[in-house]
Amino acid sequence: MTSRRLLAILAHPDDESFGIGGTLARYADEGVDVHIAIATDGVAGSVAAGYEHTLVELAAVRHKELEEAVAVLGGALHTFGYRDSGYIGDPANQHPDAFINADERQAIGRVVELIRHIRPQVVITHDETGGYYHPDHIFCWKITSAGFAAAADATQYPEIGPAPYQPQRLYYTGFSNRMVKVFTWLMRLRGQDPKRAGRNKDIDWTRIGIEPPRLHAHIDYRRYWDAKRTAGAAHASQGGGMARSRLLPEPLQRRYMATETFIRAYPPAPDGFREHDLFAGVVDS
Ligand SMILES: [Zn+2]
């Protein structure tokens, strides 16, 4: 019987699929007890007064999509229920209920509570750039990193049971800037501006991605390519597809691109360190 447990804490409904769906599906299939916590309701942007009900409906739609995706990946879903903040400069960021405006102590407490209950050996969250500088991703990195440390400290959040717990690994999601450079080259070739990409033309691909030596863990998910695709497709309101799918024929993507990469934050790993399993060296406990 396995006693391996993994907890991924991510900002939005769809980050679990588009971002690290291959890794989550693989560990769930290999018998790891996978837990997926999503901080926000995924309702980005703002609406005119009198139309708040459409946001309530969108939140319900996105929650259903998330449940469907998590069922495909195989895992238990936890939601924090914060209001989605927008991208940099979005008026939604001024909303008092926006995730990025949440009471930090309370938000860290949510992380501590999950870690002390689930007792995961491995915790995953966004990296300090949030991948593409999304404020929700960065705030999620901040509270998860703080919660990771606080969960093991009996003097912090003594009111949250059942007992302090020290996970053995903390990973940040991250992708190579080498791939980003290929994408920006391909985008330019296709007449697209890599500095103004994405649905809202507000993503600058030239400033994102991680230096390859800092990507310590490389997880092969070729066998779970279809699971990741199906989980992503569940997020129909978000387009439901992987952004890169138009750039290369799928058999080539599956053969050469079915790897998700992570920075090992705890215990810290030196540049150039390479592992192929998030549970490498982890002791069942
Ligand atoms: Zn996100």
Side-chain angles (χ1 to χ4, degrees), residues 32-64:
V32 173
D33 189 9
V34 171
H35 292 261
I36 299 167
I38 302 295
T40 75
D41 57 9
V43 179
S46 54
V47 292
Y51 287 88
E52 282 287 339
H53 66 281
T54 59
L55 286 185
V56 173
E57 281 163 21
L58 181 55
V61 166
R62 295 213 62 186
H63 189 80
K64 272 201 75 164

PDB file of all heavy atoms in Angstrom, residues 32-64:
ATOM      1  N   VAL A  32       0.024   7.462  -6.294  1.00  0.00           N
ATOM      2  CA  VAL A  32       0.229   8.546  -5.331  1.00  0.00           C
ATOM      3  C   VAL A  32      -1.127   9.179  -5.022  1.00  0.00           C
ATOM      4  O   VAL A  32      -1.982   9.314  -5.902  1.00  0.00           O
ATOM      5  CB  VAL A  32       1.204   9.603  -5.908  1.00  0.00           C
ATOM      6  CG1 VAL A  32       1.293  10.823  -5.004  1.00  0.00           C
ATOM      7  CG2 VAL A  32       2.588   8.987  -6.125  1.00  0.00           C
ATOM      8  N   ASP A  33      -1.325   9.540  -3.772  1.00  0.00           N
ATOM      9  CA  ASP A  33      -2.541  10.228  -3.342  1.00  0.00           C
ATOM     10  C   ASP A  33      -2.368  11.706  -3.730  1.00  0.00           C
ATOM     11  O   ASP A  33      -1.648  12.441  -3.059  1.00  0.00           O
ATOM     12  CB  ASP A  33      -2.665  10.044  -1.824  1.00  0.00           C
ATOM     13  CG  ASP A  33      -3.991  10.522  -1.287  1.00  0.00           C
ATOM     14  OD1 ASP A  33      -4.888  10.842  -2.100  1.00  0.00           O
ATOM     15  OD2 ASP A  33      -4.126  10.576  -0.051  1.00  0.00           O
ATOM     16  N   VAL A  34      -3.012  12.091  -4.842  1.00  0.00           N
ATOM     17  CA  VAL A  34      -2.809  13.428  -5.399  1.00  0.00           C
ATOM     18  C   VAL A  34      -3.914  14.385  -4.936  1.00  0.00           C
ATOM     19  O   VAL A  34      -5.100  14.066  -5.035  1.00  0.00           O
ATOM     20  CB  VAL A  34      -2.775  13.372  -6.949  1.00  0.00           C
ATOM     21  CG1 VAL A  34      -2.797  14.781  -7.551  1.00  0.00           C
ATOM     22  CG2 VAL A  34      -1.535  12.606  -7.425  1.00  0.00           C
ATOM     23  N   HIS A  35      -3.501  15.522  -4.413  1.00  0.00           N
ATOM     24  CA  HIS A  35      -4.449  16.563  -3.978  1.00  0.00           C
ATOM     25  C   HIS A  35      -4.172  17.837  -4.772  1.00  0.00           C
ATOM     26  O   HIS A  35      -3.024  18.255  -4.889  1.00  0.00           O
ATOM     27  CB  HIS A  35      -4.306  16.841  -2.484  1.00  0.00           C
ATOM     28  CG  HIS A  35      -4.748  15.687  -1.632  1.00  0.00           C
ATOM     29  ND1 HIS A  35      -5.982  15.636  -1.034  1.00  0.00           N
ATOM     30  CD2 HIS A  35      -4.123  14.529  -1.322  1.00  0.00           C
ATOM     31  CE1 HIS A  35      -6.108  14.489  -0.378  1.00  0.00           C
ATOM     32  NE2 HIS A  35      -4.994  13.798  -0.524  1.00  0.00           N
ATOM     33  N   ILE A  36      -5.248  18.425  -5.283  1.00  0.00           N
ATOM     34  CA  ILE A  36      -5.126  19.625  -6.101  1.00  0.00           C
ATOM     35  C   ILE A  36      -5.929  20.739  -5.438  1.00  0.00           C
ATOM     36  O   ILE A  36      -7.144  20.617  -5.284  1.00  0.00           O
ATOM     37  CB  ILE A  36      -5.646  19.352  -7.529  1.00  0.00           C
ATOM     38  CG1 ILE A  36      -4.813  18.232  -8.187  1.00  0.00           C
ATOM     39  CG2 ILE A  36      -5.625  20.629  -8.370  1.00  0.00           C
ATOM     40  CD1 ILE A  36      -5.428  17.660  -9.461  1.00  0.00           C
ATOM     41  N   ALA A  37      -5.235  21.795  -5.012  1.00  0.00           N
ATOM     42  CA  ALA A  37      -5.916  22.937  -4.383  1.00  0.00           C
ATOM     43  C   ALA A  37      -5.849  24.131  -5.329  1.00  0.00           C
ATOM     44  O   ALA A  37      -4.779  24.488  -5.814  1.00  0.00           O
ATOM     45  CB  ALA A  37      -5.260  23.271  -3.050  1.00  0.00           C
ATOM     46  N   ILE A  38      -7.007  24.722  -5.593  1.00  0.00           N
ATOM     47  CA  ILE A  38      -7.087  25.864  -6.494  1.00  0.00           C
ATOM     48  C   ILE A  38      -7.570  27.075  -5.692  1.00  0.00           C
ATOM     49  O   ILE A  38      -8.609  27.030  -5.044  1.00  0.00           O
ATOM     50  CB  ILE A  38      -8.038  25.569  -7.673  1.00  0.00           C
ATOM     51  CG1 ILE A  38      -7.567  24.325  -8.455  1.00  0.00           C
ATOM     52  CG2 ILE A  38      -8.179  26.794  -8.583  1.00  0.00           C
ATOM     53  CD1 ILE A  38      -6.225  24.462  -9.157  1.00  0.00           C
ATOM     54  N   ALA A  39      -6.799  28.161  -5.762  1.00  0.00           N
ATOM     55  CA  ALA A  39      -7.055  29.303  -4.875  1.00  0.00           C
ATOM     56  C   ALA A  39      -8.238  30.171  -5.294  1.00  0.00           C
ATOM     57  O   ALA A  39      -8.956  30.706  -4.457  1.00  0.00           O
ATOM     58  CB  ALA A  39      -5.796  30.159  -4.765  1.00  0.00           C
ATOM     59  N   THR A  40      -8.429  30.367  -6.614  1.00  0.00           N
ATOM     60  CA  THR A  40      -9.436  31.339  -7.055  1.00  0.00           C
ATOM     61  C   THR A  40     -10.571  30.674  -7.831  1.00  0.00           C
ATOM     62  O   THR A  40     -10.477  29.519  -8.245  1.00  0.00           O
ATOM     63  CB  THR A  40      -8.829  32.431  -7.963  1.00  0.00           C
ATOM     64  OG1 THR A  40      -8.587  31.873  -9.256  1.00  0.00           O
ATOM     65  CG2 THR A  40      -7.536  32.979  -7.390  1.00  0.00           C
ATOM     66  N   ASP A  41     -11.607  31.478  -8.064  1.00  0.00           N
ATOM     67  CA  ASP A  41     -12.782  30.979  -8.781  1.00  0.00           C
ATOM     68  C   ASP A  41     -12.623  31.082 -10.300  1.00  0.00           C
ATOM     69  O   ASP A  41     -13.490  30.653 -11.050  1.00  0.00           O
ATOM     70  CB  ASP A  41     -14.040  31.750  -8.343  1.00  0.00           C
ATOM     71  CG  ASP A  41     -13.912  33.261  -8.552  1.00  0.00           C
ATOM     72  OD1 ASP A  41     -12.933  33.703  -9.192  1.00  0.00           O
ATOM     73  OD2 ASP A  41     -14.792  33.996  -8.067  1.00  0.00           O
ATOM     74  N   GLY A  42     -11.518  31.690 -10.760  1.00  0.00           N
ATOM     75  CA  GLY A  42     -11.257  31.754 -12.194  1.00  0.00           C
ATOM     76  C   GLY A  42     -12.084  32.784 -12.938  1.00  0.00           C
ATOM     77  O   GLY A  42     -12.167  32.754 -14.157  1.00  0.00           O
ATOM     78  N   VAL A  43     -12.694  33.721 -12.198  1.00  0.00           N
ATOM     79  CA  VAL A  43     -13.524  34.738 -12.851  1.00  0.00           C
ATOM     80  C   VAL A  43     -12.695  36.009 -13.021  1.00  0.00           C
ATOM     81  O   VAL A  43     -12.710  36.902 -12.189  1.00  0.00           O
ATOM     82  CB  VAL A  43     -14.790  35.016 -12.015  1.00  0.00           C
ATOM     83  CG1 VAL A  43     -15.641  36.082 -12.681  1.00  0.00           C
ATOM     84  CG2 VAL A  43     -15.590  33.740 -11.861  1.00  0.00           C
ATOM     85  N   ALA A  44     -11.923  36.051 -14.094  1.00  0.00           N
ATOM     86  CA  ALA A  44     -11.032  37.192 -14.303  1.00  0.00           C
ATOM     87  C   ALA A  44     -11.812  38.389 -14.821  1.00  0.00           C
ATOM     88  O   ALA A  44     -12.924  38.273 -15.307  1.00  0.00           O
ATOM     89  CB  ALA A  44      -9.939  36.826 -15.290  1.00  0.00           C
ATOM     90  N   GLY A  45     -11.200  39.539 -14.699  1.00  0.00           N
ATOM     91  CA  GLY A  45     -11.809  40.741 -15.254  1.00  0.00           C
ATOM     92  C   GLY A  45     -12.897  41.297 -14.361  1.00  0.00           C
ATOM     93  O   GLY A  45     -13.120  40.856 -13.253  1.00  0.00           O
ATOM     94  N   SER A  46     -13.594  42.293 -14.869  1.00  0.00           N
ATOM     95  CA  SER A  46     -14.639  42.926 -14.083  1.00  0.00           C
ATOM     96  C   SER A  46     -15.845  43.157 -14.985  1.00  0.00           C
ATOM     97  O   SER A  46     -15.727  43.167 -16.205  1.00  0.00           O
ATOM     98  CB  SER A  46     -14.138  44.260 -13.539  1.00  0.00           C
ATOM     99  OG  SER A  46     -13.649  45.052 -14.606  1.00  0.00           O
ATOM    100  N   VAL A  47     -16.999  43.317 -14.387  1.00  0.00           N
ATOM    101  CA  VAL A  47     -18.201  43.594 -15.178  1.00  0.00           C
ATOM    102  C   VAL A  47     -18.886  44.836 -14.642  1.00  0.00           C
ATOM    103  O   VAL A  47     -18.647  45.264 -13.515  1.00  0.00           O
ATOM    104  CB  VAL A  47     -19.212  42.414 -15.129  1.00  0.00           C
ATOM    105  CG1 VAL A  47     -18.657  41.221 -15.862  1.00  0.00           C
ATOM    106  CG2 VAL A  47     -19.583  42.078 -13.718  1.00  0.00           C
ATOM    107  N   ALA A  48     -19.724  45.426 -15.475  1.00  0.00           N
ATOM    108  CA  ALA A  48     -20.450  46.632 -15.081  1.00  0.00           C
ATOM    109  C   ALA A  48     -21.425  46.309 -13.951  1.00  0.00           C
ATOM    110  O   ALA A  48     -21.885  45.176 -13.810  1.00  0.00           O
ATOM    111  CB  ALA A  48     -21.201  47.185 -16.280  1.00  0.00           C
ATOM    112  N   ALA A  49     -21.714  47.341 -13.141  1.00  0.00           N
ATOM    113  CA  ALA A  49     -22.663  47.177 -12.051  1.00  0.00           C
ATOM    114  C   ALA A  49     -23.981  46.627 -12.592  1.00  0.00           C
ATOM    115  O   ALA A  49     -24.442  47.036 -13.662  1.00  0.00           O
ATOM    116  CB  ALA A  49     -22.887  48.517 -11.361  1.00  0.00           C
ATOM    117  N   GLY A  50     -24.553  45.692 -11.870  1.00  0.00           N
ATOM    118  CA  GLY A  50     -25.805  45.100 -12.313  1.00  0.00           C
ATOM    119  C   GLY A  50     -25.596  43.790 -13.051  1.00  0.00           C
ATOM    120  O   GLY A  50     -26.553  43.054 -13.292  1.00  0.00           O
ATOM    121  N   TYR A  51     -24.331  43.513 -13.403  1.00  0.00           N
ATOM    122  CA  TYR A  51     -24.052  42.271 -14.127  1.00  0.00           C
ATOM    123  C   TYR A  51     -23.212  41.286 -13.314  1.00  0.00           C
ATOM    124  O   TYR A  51     -22.644  40.353 -13.852  1.00  0.00           O
ATOM    125  CB  TYR A  51     -23.363  42.581 -15.460  1.00  0.00           C
ATOM    126  CG  TYR A  51     -24.318  43.169 -16.466  1.00  0.00           C
ATOM    127  CD1 TYR A  51     -24.538  44.541 -16.515  1.00  0.00           C
ATOM    128  CD2 TYR A  51     -25.042  42.346 -17.337  1.00  0.00           C
ATOM    129  CE1 TYR A  51     -25.445  45.094 -17.412  1.00  0.00           C
ATOM    130  CE2 TYR A  51     -25.945  42.883 -18.233  1.00  0.00           C
ATOM    131  CZ  TYR A  51     -26.141  44.262 -18.271  1.00  0.00           C
ATOM    132  OH  TYR A  51     -27.040  44.790 -19.159  1.00  0.00           O
ATOM    133  N   GLU A  52     -23.146  41.525 -11.995  1.00  0.00           N
ATOM    134  CA  GLU A  52     -22.365  40.636 -11.142  1.00  0.00           C
ATOM    135  C   GLU A  52     -22.861  39.185 -11.240  1.00  0.00           C
ATOM    136  O   GLU A  52     -22.097  38.255 -11.067  1.00  0.00           O
ATOM    137  CB  GLU A  52     -22.400  41.110  -9.680  1.00  0.00           C
ATOM    138  CG  GLU A  52     -21.465  42.286  -9.394  1.00  0.00           C
ATOM    139  CD  GLU A  52     -19.985  41.893  -9.368  1.00  0.00           C
ATOM    140  OE1 GLU A  52     -19.694  40.695  -9.181  1.00  0.00           O
ATOM    141  OE2 GLU A  52     -19.134  42.782  -9.532  1.00  0.00           O
ATOM    142  N   HIS A  53     -24.164  39.011 -11.534  1.00  0.00           N
ATOM    143  CA  HIS A  53     -24.709  37.645 -11.582  1.00  0.00           C
ATOM    144  C   HIS A  53     -24.043  36.818 -12.687  1.00  0.00           C
ATOM    145  O   HIS A  53     -23.933  35.616 -12.581  1.00  0.00           O
ATOM    146  CB  HIS A  53     -26.226  37.677 -11.781  1.00  0.00           C
ATOM    147  CG  HIS A  53     -26.656  38.218 -13.109  1.00  0.00           C
ATOM    148  ND1 HIS A  53     -26.685  39.577 -13.363  1.00  0.00           N
ATOM    149  CD2 HIS A  53     -27.028  37.611 -14.250  1.00  0.00           C
ATOM    150  CE1 HIS A  53     -27.083  39.769 -14.615  1.00  0.00           C
ATOM    151  NE2 HIS A  53     -27.296  38.593 -15.174  1.00  0.00           N
ATOM    152  N   THR A  54     -23.578  37.481 -13.748  1.00  0.00           N
ATOM    153  CA  THR A  54     -22.920  36.707 -14.802  1.00  0.00           C
ATOM    154  C   THR A  54     -21.592  36.141 -14.294  1.00  0.00           C
ATOM    155  O   THR A  54     -21.173  35.072 -14.717  1.00  0.00           O
ATOM    156  CB  THR A  54     -22.661  37.569 -16.065  1.00  0.00           C
ATOM    157  OG1 THR A  54     -21.844  38.677 -15.704  1.00  0.00           O
ATOM    158  CG2 THR A  54     -23.955  38.060 -16.675  1.00  0.00           C
ATOM    159  N   LEU A  55     -20.962  36.880 -13.366  1.00  0.00           N
ATOM    160  CA  LEU A  55     -19.726  36.366 -12.772  1.00  0.00           C
ATOM    161  C   LEU A  55     -20.021  35.151 -11.901  1.00  0.00           C
ATOM    162  O   LEU A  55     -19.255  34.188 -11.882  1.00  0.00           O
ATOM    163  CB  LEU A  55     -19.039  37.451 -11.938  1.00  0.00           C
ATOM    164  CG  LEU A  55     -18.347  38.572 -12.711  1.00  0.00           C
ATOM    165  CD1 LEU A  55     -17.613  39.492 -11.745  1.00  0.00           C
ATOM    166  CD2 LEU A  55     -17.373  38.018 -13.741  1.00  0.00           C
ATOM    167  N   VAL A  56     -21.138  35.206 -11.175  1.00  0.00           N
ATOM    168  CA  VAL A  56     -21.528  34.074 -10.330  1.00  0.00           C
ATOM    169  C   VAL A  56     -21.744  32.843 -11.210  1.00  0.00           C
ATOM    170  O   VAL A  56     -21.285  31.744 -10.896  1.00  0.00           O
ATOM    171  CB  VAL A  56     -22.807  34.410  -9.524  1.00  0.00           C
ATOM    172  CG1 VAL A  56     -23.306  33.181  -8.769  1.00  0.00           C
ATOM    173  CG2 VAL A  56     -22.541  35.569  -8.561  1.00  0.00           C
ATOM    174  N   GLU A  57     -22.409  33.060 -12.352  1.00  0.00           N
ATOM    175  CA  GLU A  57     -22.633  31.940 -13.275  1.00  0.00           C
ATOM    176  C   GLU A  57     -21.323  31.424 -13.850  1.00  0.00           C
ATOM    177  O   GLU A  57     -21.104  30.218 -13.953  1.00  0.00           O
ATOM    178  CB  GLU A  57     -23.569  32.366 -14.416  1.00  0.00           C
ATOM    179  CG  GLU A  57     -25.025  32.388 -14.002  1.00  0.00           C
ATOM    180  CD  GLU A  57     -25.900  33.179 -14.951  1.00  0.00           C
ATOM    181  OE1 GLU A  57     -25.488  33.378 -16.117  1.00  0.00           O
ATOM    182  OE2 GLU A  57     -26.977  33.616 -14.520  1.00  0.00           O
ATOM    183  N   LEU A  58     -20.425  32.350 -14.217  1.00  0.00           N
ATOM    184  CA  LEU A  58     -19.138  31.932 -14.778  1.00  0.00           C
ATOM    185  C   LEU A  58     -18.339  31.139 -13.742  1.00  0.00           C
ATOM    186  O   LEU A  58     -17.710  30.134 -14.067  1.00  0.00           O
ATOM    187  CB  LEU A  58     -18.335  33.144 -15.266  1.00  0.00           C
ATOM    188  CG  LEU A  58     -16.968  32.843 -15.891  1.00  0.00           C
ATOM    189  CD1 LEU A  58     -17.077  31.848 -17.042  1.00  0.00           C
ATOM    190  CD2 LEU A  58     -16.298  34.128 -16.377  1.00  0.00           C
ATOM    191  N   ALA A  59     -18.395  31.585 -12.486  1.00  0.00           N
ATOM    192  CA  ALA A  59     -17.687  30.863 -11.423  1.00  0.00           C
ATOM    193  C   ALA A  59     -18.214  29.428 -11.323  1.00  0.00           C
ATOM    194  O   ALA A  59     -17.446  28.480 -11.153  1.00  0.00           O
ATOM    195  CB  ALA A  59     -17.837  31.586 -10.087  1.00  0.00           C
ATOM    196  N   ALA A  60     -19.535  29.274 -11.447  1.00  0.00           N
ATOM    197  CA  ALA A  60     -20.134  27.931 -11.368  1.00  0.00           C
ATOM    198  C   ALA A  60     -19.701  27.073 -12.557  1.00  0.00           C
ATOM    199  O   ALA A  60     -19.387  25.890 -12.409  1.00  0.00           O
ATOM    200  CB  ALA A  60     -21.661  28.042 -11.314  1.00  0.00           C
ATOM    201  N   VAL A  61     -19.671  27.694 -13.748  1.00  0.00           N
ATOM    202  CA  VAL A  61     -19.226  26.974 -14.951  1.00  0.00           C
ATOM    203  C   VAL A  61     -17.781  26.515 -14.785  1.00  0.00           C
ATOM    204  O   VAL A  61     -17.436  25.355 -15.045  1.00  0.00           O
ATOM    205  CB  VAL A  61     -19.363  27.871 -16.205  1.00  0.00           C
ATOM    206  CG1 VAL A  61     -18.592  27.292 -17.390  1.00  0.00           C
ATOM    207  CG2 VAL A  61     -20.828  28.074 -16.571  1.00  0.00           C
ATOM    208  N   ARG A  62     -16.945  27.427 -14.318  1.00  0.00           N
ATOM    209  CA  ARG A  62     -15.520  27.090 -14.185  1.00  0.00           C
ATOM    210  C   ARG A  62     -15.303  26.032 -13.107  1.00  0.00           C
ATOM    211  O   ARG A  62     -14.394  25.211 -13.216  1.00  0.00           O
ATOM    212  CB  ARG A  62     -14.701  28.349 -13.911  1.00  0.00           C
ATOM    213  CG  ARG A  62     -14.736  29.321 -15.096  1.00  0.00           C
ATOM    214  CD  ARG A  62     -13.469  30.096 -15.282  1.00  0.00           C
ATOM    215  NE  ARG A  62     -12.334  29.235 -15.565  1.00  0.00           N
ATOM    216  CZ  ARG A  62     -11.084  29.661 -15.648  1.00  0.00           C
ATOM    217  NH1 ARG A  62     -10.819  30.937 -15.460  1.00  0.00           N
ATOM    218  NH2 ARG A  62     -10.094  28.835 -15.909  1.00  0.00           N
ATOM    219  N   HIS A  63     -16.132  26.054 -12.067  1.00  0.00           N
ATOM    220  CA  HIS A  63     -15.994  25.029 -11.027  1.00  0.00           C
ATOM    221  C   HIS A  63     -16.332  23.647 -11.595  1.00  0.00           C
ATOM    222  O   HIS A  63     -15.641  22.667 -11.307  1.00  0.00           O
ATOM    223  CB  HIS A  63     -16.872  25.342  -9.820  1.00  0.00           C
ATOM    224  CG  HIS A  63     -16.595  24.425  -8.651  1.00  0.00           C
ATOM    225  ND1 HIS A  63     -15.517  24.607  -7.804  1.00  0.00           N
ATOM    226  CD2 HIS A  63     -17.204  23.294  -8.235  1.00  0.00           C
ATOM    227  CE1 HIS A  63     -15.494  23.637  -6.905  1.00  0.00           C
ATOM    228  NE2 HIS A  63     -16.507  22.824  -7.143  1.00  0.00           N
ATOM    229  N   LYS A  64     -17.372  23.582 -12.411  1.00  0.00           N
ATOM    230  CA  LYS A  64     -17.739  22.306 -13.041  1.00  0.00           C
ATOM    231  C   LYS A  64     -16.636  21.808 -13.959  1.00  0.00           C
ATOM    232  O   LYS A  64     -16.302  20.620 -13.983  1.00  0.00           O
ATOM    233  CB  LYS A  64     -19.044  22.459 -13.849  1.00  0.00           C
ATOM    234  CG  LYS A  64     -20.291  22.220 -13.028  1.00  0.00           C
ATOM    235  CD  LYS A  64     -21.474  21.869 -13.914  1.00  0.00           C
ATOM    236  CE  LYS A  64     -21.376  20.438 -14.436  1.00  0.00           C
ATOM    237  NZ  LYS A  64     -22.625  19.924 -14.974  1.00  0.00           N
TER     238      LYS A  64
END
